[in-house]
Amino acid sequence: MSLPEDARHLMHDEYTLAESAAMNIRMALSNKEGLSHPEVAVILGSGLGAFADSLHDAVVIPYGEIPHFPRSTAVGHAGRLVIGKLGGLTVAAMQGRVHQYEGYTARESAFPVRVLARLGVRRLVLTNAAGGINPAYGQGALVLLSDHINLQCANPLSGANDERLGPRFPGMSEAYDARFRRIAQQAAAAMGYDLKEGVYAALAGPSYETPAEIRFLRTIGADLVGMSTVPEVIVARHMGLRVLALSCVTNMAAGLGEGELCHEEVLATTERVRSTFLALLTAVLPRIAAEQD
Ligand code: HPA
């Protein structure tokens, strides 16, 4: 069966649009010595953007200045791409992301990953704020993702596939790089931090879950719940990037803690764990950049 004309157009588009956005970023970096080839990218979730401020000699590009880039509207998401140095390492940090609940499709929300990959990045660290379902996690815990369950009722690869970007049916059995997780575990242990791992369930949001939904998620094997990350991981794996993902348990999930959930609580918790989060990322990034393929 041949593809309809409009699907062919779409498929051509995503590759070209990502390339044009990447080209634009390359131009912005062109007069900055040593920044043109970021080795690692980090996507900083709700309230976790401060890491980007620790990069040196940085070029800061608001998403609005990158062609075809989605604009983030959520509070706690600055909406800037910061490319700078962490020691000798060149890091591209996204301060904020976009979500399905802002009205973006899964494909649109993961488009920045396409752009980072076209920029030459092969290793991606995703961070997010999440609700804790596993009772072993306390509020404020940092947890590595070992796997995910996509309950967003959408997949960023739906529609025509462009083989230049990746295969039609990419595998997801090793989405969260085992070696990167070991590196993160070792870095955390060196800090005296007990870094747990868990399965992240992605829902569309923006309403938080009901207690009944959380009981369901626990039954099906989820340890964490959030509204992001999974489309980006799927697109990253589609393009062959190696992925590490880290959640900050900003609250116990609905029905497991006291009172009603709110975004202010999420931001207050990220603020409280900021220094541990920054120390862990700072220790992990150079090590995963140095890791052999
Ligand atoms: N549910 C969904 N997303 C979240 C939560 C939550 O409890 N906390 C932070 N992001």
Side-chain angles (χ1 to χ4, degrees), residues 129-132 200 207-209 214 225-227 248 250-254 261 266:
Y200 176 91
S207 52
Y208 288 114
E209 302 69 38
I214 294 302
V225 59
M227 306 173 191
C248 171
T250 51
N251 54 277
M252 290 321 283
L261 303 181
V266 167

Side-chain angles (χ1 to χ4, degrees), residues 12 33-34 39 50 60 84 104 109 139 153 224 234 239 245 264 278:
H12 173 70
E33 195 68 28
E39 294 145 279
V60 178
Y104 292 103
S109 70
Q139 191 176 14
C153 298
L224 301 152
I234 292 172
M239 298 183 89
E264 288 68 31
L278 292 184

